[in-house]
């Protein structure tokens, strides 16, 4: 770890004429059996051998197992300090050396008395230092992270013995002082992370450049349970845990002294958390968003589940389970996390942004208006971990103020935007001093147009202790916001004791006032007694606060009583329920390599004096919901002028999932939305099918029929390509050289009558490709399996009547898909399954044709399997070299297919074919009438047919 590396480097760079010795306890000194294995590795690794001069392995049984000019390996039980002293004394004059002993999570597994003896042994040396990195439990063994960590090591039969006797940092400090080390500095790893004197801002920021990172709460919990201790024999102030300048005090041990604990103001009365178990295996989600639909129901939407991001909604109620339809976000909205849902009225709410992966911030926004969800204007810039709160201009017009967050490239945002139904999104001008860019902050309105902003994290991973009051000046087209900094230095207030600097906390009104709940702080984890604090002084009625009582810098401790297990208030959501009660839903964290902790129930926060409080519980998980409502045509308000432009459809990324069983895939087929499945075993083809392998295995001389295109986009309607017969090897060479050609294999026998099947048409490749057991539904109902090889040319937009799985084998591919409800907007000629549109070209000619459509996008890489539901128009284009794929069509309906042959799996259903004949008969029946009369009645019949289409399946 960098922390230990820092101490070792400081030691080596320290000016001295003495020889310097580093003794790594538990690594260079270890059990004989382990040391022998380590020496064998060193002996067999040239890089190590080149670093060591006078290298010599000792005879079996020798304590010094390996000798060199730079390194010794010592086979010795650390409990035997006399043997260790004797062995080192034979090789080194330790009394005349500078000695650094290090122990990285090693001596904590020893018997405590033996470990203490080892620490006292190291203190015998005249000029010595001791660097210790190991676990501690700052909030006791019942903290969910600590509990998970302890159980992990107990299960491995390697218990953490030292944490029981030395659970806190001050305990470890006392331990070393009593062992003969007069100067001891000790800090948690999170404390070191936050210290710019130890870690420069650019070094923290570099973490995101290595890999997009958004597990900050989990990192803080982990780093809060590990410490770095450096002890020295010198009586001078110890600065080894950080670069301490002349104007800085030595690092402090962050703990709350009892006197300070008593001095923090307390909110009266106290709060009781009443607990209700979730049904077994359900309710495990974090980083979602909550909404209400009725007095006794709350929904928790999206978030991260046990395996992937979710698009379902858990429904909670305070009463009996009723047979109701809960209006959750439609499953056509992409799975996401770190988004917001802001309640506008009892029935209306606005869903904003979020993310899939940290490098894919979402911009789409959805309004629930009464009983349906409608897509409204997208955010000017996709964002996640942003703040959102309801505001009002007093004329009955509600809006949502959104600020901060992160975008897809990791930029932390500083802007504020306002959504209102009549204007769409408007950029809010910040007057005077603007708060620093932040994400994961907490914001809430205290009246119609003012509120507070607390905490958050900077781009370089530092949690802010700032408190801001904000006021909006609303002039319709010109909206301004003014911020007032109400932060107080820690030495002047109780702010530090209340852990006001938070990231990922909830800020919500309750019957007891405004509560600041959970998250992590600038000191890492938040102790249980401060997990929930009150903001402001006094109490208030829910949604009717007195603004003067809610200064952003006033905090009060809340006495907490928990009936049931202690929740981990990380990744959770808080919802206001009836009578000002608050619900804590979901939450949990990956506890490093120790396992994942999930909150397994629901907590209701109530006034402790309320002896008859209600008990909320999870009653349902909504997966099938009403269809989407129409897209709202509100306009996007650009920054800097009053002009607007039509909203442009924004791509919704296709979700990704890992299947665990055939039933999981059956559920996907039933849901009928595309999804990319990863981690499936489709055979050796993903590695074997190189161009040379295909030539050799299939035969370069085999004749195939290919599409030879004249442009980058093939059009079935325009026929801008030719069918050409050529040798398979020639075709492969030409597409490798970038020629616009495309192979969709045909049956080798009677291709006009029979569907293509890879196992029959390319038996040489059959053993390389297979469908895994998870896709048994496809195998059992397979129709065809053509091989597809493409150069740099896009397929035309089309739909297939049969569902299929597209298995990407080599190269990468971009697939665009549209739900069946968009078919009338995509220029499909009557009776044709191919469109005339090129959706990859964002030109003015096609732009108008794509308004009010809902495109989905999938990026496929080798091994990915894309499920394409029946009748979803789609098209594909290679993005990296030659694309090789196999797609398997299968029948997912029990009946309805047209009788007779269907070579390509795209023959329209029998009912549609018959319906087109009936339409011709109906139109013919009006022949002979005046034109205006005939059109009059045909339009009326068309309207009736549209009504039938909207009513279809609703009864």
């Amino acid at each position: 770890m960098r922390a230990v590396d820092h101490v070792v480097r400081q030691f080596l760079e320290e000016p001295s004429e003495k020889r310097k010795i580093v003794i790594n306890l538990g690594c260079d000194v270890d059990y004989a059996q382990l040391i022998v294995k380590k020496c064998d590795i060193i002996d067999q690794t040239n890089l190590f051998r080149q670093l060591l001069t006078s290298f010599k392995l000792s005879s079996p049984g020798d304590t010094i197992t390996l000798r060199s000019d730079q390194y010794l390996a010592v086979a010795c039980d650390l409990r035997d300090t006399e043997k260790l002293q004797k062995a080192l004394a034979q090789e080194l004059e330790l009394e005349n050396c500078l000695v650094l002993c290090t122990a990285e999570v090693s001596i904590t597994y020893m018997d405590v008395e033996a470990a203490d003896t080892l620490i006292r042994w190291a203190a015998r040396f005249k000029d010595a230092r001791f660097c210790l990195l190991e676990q501690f439990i700052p909030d006791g063994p019942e903290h969910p992270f600590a509990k998970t960590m302890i159980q992990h090591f107990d299960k491995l039969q390697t218990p953490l013995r030292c944490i029981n006797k030395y659970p806190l940092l001050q305990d470890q400090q006392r331990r070393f002082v009593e062992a003969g080390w007069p100067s001891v500095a000790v800090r948690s790893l999170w404390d070191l992370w936050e210290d710019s004197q130890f870690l420069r801002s650019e070094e923290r920021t570099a973490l995101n450049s290595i890999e997009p990172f958004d597990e900050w709460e989990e990192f803080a919990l982990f780093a809060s349970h590990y410490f770095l201790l450096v002890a020295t024999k010198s009586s001078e102030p110890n600065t080894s845990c950080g670069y301490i300048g002349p104007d800085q005090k030595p690092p402090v041990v962050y703990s709350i002294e009892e006197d300070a604990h008593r001095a923090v103001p307390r909110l009266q009365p106290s709060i009781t958390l009443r607990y209700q178990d979730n049904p077994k295996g359900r309710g495990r989600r974090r980083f979602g968003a909550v909404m209400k639909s009725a007095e006794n129901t709350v929904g928790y939407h999206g978030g991260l589940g046990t395996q992937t991001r979710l698009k379902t909604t858990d429904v909670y109620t305070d009463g009996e389970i009723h047979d109701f339809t809960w209006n959750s976000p439609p499953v056509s909205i992409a799975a996401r996390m770190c988004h917001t849902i802001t309640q506008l009225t009892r029935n209306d709410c606005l869903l904003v942004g979020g993310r899939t992966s940290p490098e894919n911030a979402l911009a789409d926004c959805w309004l629930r208006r009464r009983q349906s969800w409608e897509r409204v204007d997208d955010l000017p810039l996709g964002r996640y971990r942003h703040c959102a709160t309801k505001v009002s201009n007093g004329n009955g017009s509600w809006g949502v103020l959104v600020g901060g967050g992160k975008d897809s490239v990791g930029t932390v945002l500083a802007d504020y935007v306002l959504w209102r139904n009549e204007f769409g999104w408007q950029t809010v001008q910040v007057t005077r001093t603007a708060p620093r860019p932040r994400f994961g902050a907490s914001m809430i309105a205290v009246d119609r147009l003012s509120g507070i902003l607390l905490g958050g994290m900077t781009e370089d991973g530092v949690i802010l202790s700032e408190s801001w009051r904000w006021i909006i000046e609303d002039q319709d087209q010109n909206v301004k916001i003014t911020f007032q900094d109400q932060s107080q230095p820690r030495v002047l207030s109780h702010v530090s004791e209340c852990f006001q600097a938070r990231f990922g906390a909830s800020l919500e009104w309750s019957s007891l006032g405004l509560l600041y709940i959970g998250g992590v702080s600038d000191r890492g984890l938040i102790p249980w007694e401060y997990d929930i604090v009150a903001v402001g002084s006094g109490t208030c009625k829910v949604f009717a606060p007195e603004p003067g009582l809610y200064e952003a810098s006033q905090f009060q401790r809340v006495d907490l009583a928990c009936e049931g297990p202690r929740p981990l208030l990380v990744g959770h959501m808080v919802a206001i329920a009836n009578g000002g009660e608050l619900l804590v839903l979901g939450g949990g964290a990956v506890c490093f390599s120790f396992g994942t902790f999930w909150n397994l129930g629901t907590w209701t926060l109530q006034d402790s004096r309320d002896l008859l409080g209600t008990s909320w519980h999870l009653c349902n998980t909504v997966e099938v919901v009403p269809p989407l409502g129409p897209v709202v045509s509100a306009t996007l308000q650009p920054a800097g002028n009053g002009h607007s432009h039509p909203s442009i459809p924004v791509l919704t990324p296709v979700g990704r999932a890992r299947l665990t069983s055939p039933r999981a895939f059956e559920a996907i087929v039933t849901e009928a939305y595309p999804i990319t499945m990863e981690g499936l075993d489709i055979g050796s083809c993903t590695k074997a099918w190189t161009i040379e392998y295909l030539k050799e295995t299939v035969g370069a001389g085999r004749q195939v029929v290919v599409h030879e295109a004249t442009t980058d986009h093939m059009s079935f309607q325009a026929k801008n390509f030719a069918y050409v017969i050529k040798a398979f090897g020639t075709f492969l060479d030409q597409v490798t050289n970038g020629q616009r050609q495309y192979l969709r294999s045909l049956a080798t026998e009677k291709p006009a009558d029979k569907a293509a099947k890879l196992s029959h048409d390319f038996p040489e490749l059959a053993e390389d490709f297979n469908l895994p057991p998870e896709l048994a539904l496809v195998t059992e109902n397979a129709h065809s399996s053509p091989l597809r090889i493409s150069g740099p040319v896009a397929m035309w937009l089309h739909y297939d009547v049969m569902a299929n799985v597209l298995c990407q084998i080599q190269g990468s591919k971009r697939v665009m898909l549209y739900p069946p409800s968009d078919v009338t907007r995509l220029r499909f000629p009557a009776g044709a399954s191919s469109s005339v549109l090129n959706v990859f070209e964002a030109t003015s000619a096609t732009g108008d044709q794509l308004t009010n459509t809902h495109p989905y996008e999938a990026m496929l890489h080798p091994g990915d399997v894309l499920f394409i539901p029946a009748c979803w128009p789609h098209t594909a284009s290679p993005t990296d070299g030659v694309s090789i794929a196999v797609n398997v069509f299968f029948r997912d309906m029990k009946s309805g297919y047209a009788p007779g042959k269907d070579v390509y799996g795209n023959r329209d259903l029998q009912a549609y074919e018959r319906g087109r004949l009936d339409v011709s008969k109906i139109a013919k029946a009006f022949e002979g009438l005046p034109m205006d009369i005939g059109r009059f009645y045909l339009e009326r019949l068309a309207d009736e047919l549209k009504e039938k289409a909207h009513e279809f399946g609703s009864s």
Side-chain angles (χ1 to χ4, degrees), residues 275-284 306 600-601 618 621:
Y275 177 76
Q276 180 68 44
D277 275 319
N278 289 335
K280 187 175 181 180
R282 294 172 58 189
R284 299 185 182 189
T306 56
L600 300 180
L618 173 62
T621 298

Side-chain angles (χ1 to χ4, degrees), residues 278-287 300 302-308 310 312 314 316 571 585-588 596-601 618 621:
N278 289 335
K280 187 175 181 180
R282 294 172 58 189
R284 299 185 182 189
R285 66 177 73 209
R286 45 202 170 101
F287 301 109
Y300 186 15
L304 183 64
T306 56
Q307 295 183 322
T308 188
L310 305 172
T312 57
D314 284 339
Y316 295 80
L585 309 176
T596 301
F597 179 90
W598 290 99
N599 289 331
L600 300 180
L618 173 62
T621 298

Side-chain angles (χ1 to χ4, degrees), residues 58 193 273 428 552 624 739 767 933:
S58 303
W193 166 268
L273 285 77
V428 180
V624 181
Q739 293 193 24
E767 292 186 0
I933 302 299

